[in-house]
Amino acid sequence: MTRIRAARIAVTAVVPAELVLVVCLVAGVRLPGWALAATEALVAGVLLLEAWVLYGLYAAERARGADRRAARRAAVRAVVPVQVRRLVRHELRAVAALGRWAVRGRHGVRPGDLAAAYTGPQTAMMYGLLFVSVIETVGLALLIPWPTVHRVMLVLDVYGILLVLALHATCVTRPHVVRPDGSLRIRYGALFDLAVPPDAVASVRVDRRYPEGRLVTLSEDGVLDLIVGSQTTVTLELNRPLRFTRPLGATGEARTVRFHADDPRALVTALRRQPAGA
C-alpha cells in the first residue's frame, strides 16, 4: 500500500509541473538548461516509479486469474486517482466531440430513439464566454509588453477557448435519449450519464423549476437536480433509488431526478408511450 500511495502522490505532483513545462515550450519560452533537465529527470523518475508499481499490480492480478485487459484496468485504477482518470477521459471525449459536432453526428442515438436536446439555456452564455475570451486574448496581446508572458498567455487563452467549444460540443452531440422500450438516458456532455430502465420510472411530468446549486445537486431527500442554465423542465419520479456518478467520480443515489430538456413535452410524451412490443 505504501508504494501505491507514493505512486499516487507522485502522479498528482508531476502532472501540473509537466503541464507548465508543455505550455512554456509550446509558447516558445526558452527555459534554462538546468530547469529543463531537472523537470525531465523528475518526470522520468515518476514514470519509472509508475511502471514499477503498475507492473507489480498487473502481475498480482494475473496471478489471481484475471485476463490481461482486466489486470491492466485494475492496476491503473489502483494507481491513478479516479478524478484524474475522469478528467483525462472527459478531455479526450470533448476533443472527439468537436469532430462529431462538425459532421452533425450524435453519440449513442440509434434509429428509433428520440434525441432530446438540452443546450438551449446555455448556448448564449457559451458563445458569450467565447466572445469574451477572444476579446481578452486580443486585449492582452496589445497590453502585455513582455513577449514571453504574451506567448504563454496566448497558449493558455487558446486552450481555454478550445475547452469551452469542446464542452459545448459534447453537450450538443450527447443529448438525452428516450429509447423505444421506454428506457431513458439522461446526460450532460461527457460529465454526467444516468441510464434509467423502464421499470424504474414511476411517473414523469413537465415541471419547470429554477433551482440553485451546481450542475449536479443532490438534496438530503434524494432529489437530484441536473441544472442547465439555472433551470430544469422535467421531473422524473422513480420507484426505486438509482445510483449515479458525479463528474469527478463520487457516487450517490437519487429517488427523483429533475433535469432540463429544450422540448420537455416531446420527451415526456415519448417516455409515457407504451413500450414497443408490450
Side-chain angles (χ1 to χ4, degrees):
M1 293 300 293
T2 302
R3 62 178 183 174
I4 295 176
R5 187 174 303 156
R8 281 178 171 247
I9 293 173
V11 168
T12 304
V14 80
V15 168
E18 184 70 2
L19 180 60
V20 171
L21 178 63
V22 169
V23 169
C24 290
L25 292 177
V26 171
V29 178
R30 294 183 179 179
L31 298 175
W34 64 266
L36 187 60
T39 304
E40 291 305 325
L42 174 63
V43 172
V46 170
L47 288 177
L48 289 174
L49 173 64
E50 295 294 317
W52 174 59
V53 173
L54 285 171
Y55 181 77
L57 294 171
Y58 172 80
E61 290 295 327
R62 290 286 287 164
R64 295 190 187 101
D67 59 35
R68 291 182 179 180
R69 183 176 181 181
R72 287 196 300 266
R73 185 174 298 176
V76 171
R77 286 180 176 176
V79 174
V80 183
V82 62
Q83 295 88 347
V84 175
R85 296 199 310 269
R86 291 187 68 86
L87 284 174
V88 171
R89 188 184 309 154
H90 171 254
E91 292 210 8
L92 292 175
R93 289 175 175 174
V95 172
L98 285 171
R100 188 177 291 117
W101 190 25
V103 298
R104 299 181 179 274
R106 291 181 297 186
H107 175 274
V109 181
R110 303 192 293 253
D113 293 344
L114 172 71
Y118 51 84
T119 57
Q122 72 175 25
T123 300
M125 179 187 69
M126 287 290 186
Y127 287 128
L129 185 58
L130 281 173
F131 177 76
V132 170
S133 298
V134 172
I135 294 300
E136 178 191 20
T137 301
V138 175
L140 290 176
L142 296 175
L143 294 175
I144 295 178
W146 307 285
T148 298
V149 177
H150 166 63
R151 288 195 293 268
V152 171
M153 293 302 299
L154 178 62
V155 171
L156 292 175
D157 284 338
V158 171
Y159 181 67
I161 291 171
L162 180 64
L163 281 184
V164 173
L165 271 176
L167 174 61
H168 187 60
T170 57
C171 292
V172 172
T173 58
R174 292 172 179 260
H176 304 313
V177 179
V178 180
R179 305 209 185 277
D181 64 355
S183 60
L184 171 66
R185 192 173 180 182
I186 304 171
R187 302 193 282 189
Y188 183 84
L191 291 173
F192 185 87
D193 195 337
L194 173 63
V196 182
D199 61 347
V201 177
S203 66
V204 61
R205 65 183 184 275
V206 177
D207 181 22
R208 187 176 296 275
R209 293 172 179 262
Y210 299 93
E212 296 181 356
R214 296 173 295 178
L215 170 67
V216 179
T217 303
L218 181 67
S219 67
E220 294 182 357
D221 54 353
V223 177
L224 171 65
D225 285 312
L226 183 62
I227 305 170
V228 179
S230 302
Q231 63 180 286
T232 63
T233 54
V234 178
T235 295
L236 177 68
E237 303 286 350
L238 304 172
N239 53 33
R240 67 172 185 269
L242 288 182
R243 198 163 190 82
F244 67 91
T245 303
R246 295 177 181 272
L248 290 182
T251 59
E253 286 192 344
R255 296 181 177 274
T256 300
V257 183
R258 298 195 294 235
F259 60 99
H260 174 76
D262 291 347
D263 188 353
R265 296 190 183 279
L267 185 146
V268 168
T269 300
L271 203 55
R272 286 176 175 173
R273 196 173 299 148
Q274 186 72 12

